Amino acid sequence: MARLKIEISVPDDHVEKVAAALHASGAGRVGAYERCTSVWRITGTWQPLPGADPYDGEVGVPQHATESRIESFCDTDQAAAVLRAVRAAHPYEEPVIHFLPLYEPGEE
C-alpha cells in the first residue's frame, strides 16, 4: 500500500487539537506504534486578500508569525478522511495541508 507524508501548518495553540484529529482519522500509525508525528516551529507569511476572514492579521496587510508544522503519514486510502478531520479541527479559513507521496524501495 502506498503511503503519504502529511505536512500541516497550524497556530501553536492548536497543535494538540489538530494532531488529535489527525490521529483519530488513522494517520501516524507504523507497525505497533500510533500517534507518530513530528512538530517544530516555523515562520509563516501571508497577506489576506479582500473577502478573506483571517484567523490572524488584517486584510491587505502582509503578515508573518510563528506557527508549528505537524508532520505525519498515512496510507493513500486514508487521505480523504484525514483531510476532512484536519480541516474540521483547523482554525484557519484556508489551512495549508500537504500530502506528499513517499518512495518506498522494495527489499532485495
Side-chain angles (χ1 to χ4, degrees), residues 6-11 14-28 37 70-74 78-99:
I6 307 164
E7 297 178 349
I8 307 164
S9 298
V10 62
H14 281 73
V15 169
E16 292 303 319
K17 181 178 181 179
V18 171
L22 180 74
H23 298 135
S25 65
T37 57
I70 302 171
E71 280 194 6
S72 194
F73 44 85
C74 68
Q78 297 173 303
V82 169
L83 182 61
R84 284 190 302 273
V86 169
R87 281 190 174 152
H90 205 293
Y92 290 170
E93 179 179 23
E94 298 288 342
V96 175
I97 306 165
H98 297 144
F99 290 87

Side-chain angles (χ1 to χ4, degrees), residues 1-58:
M1 165 116 5
R3 306 269 289 163
L4 301 170
K5 177 183 176 185
I6 307 164
E7 297 178 349
I8 307 164
S9 298
V10 62
D12 295 334
D13 60 350
H14 281 73
V15 169
E16 292 303 319
K17 181 178 181 179
V18 171
L22 180 74
H23 298 135
S25 65
R29 292 186 183 155
V30 60
Y33 295 85
E34 63 181 17
R35 300 183 58 83
C36 299
T37 57
S38 297
V39 179
W40 69 90
R41 291 201 172 208
I42 61 171
T43 300
T45 62
W46 66 96
Q47 181 174 331
L49 298 173
D53 183 19
Y55 172 81
D56 187 14
E58 57 185 272

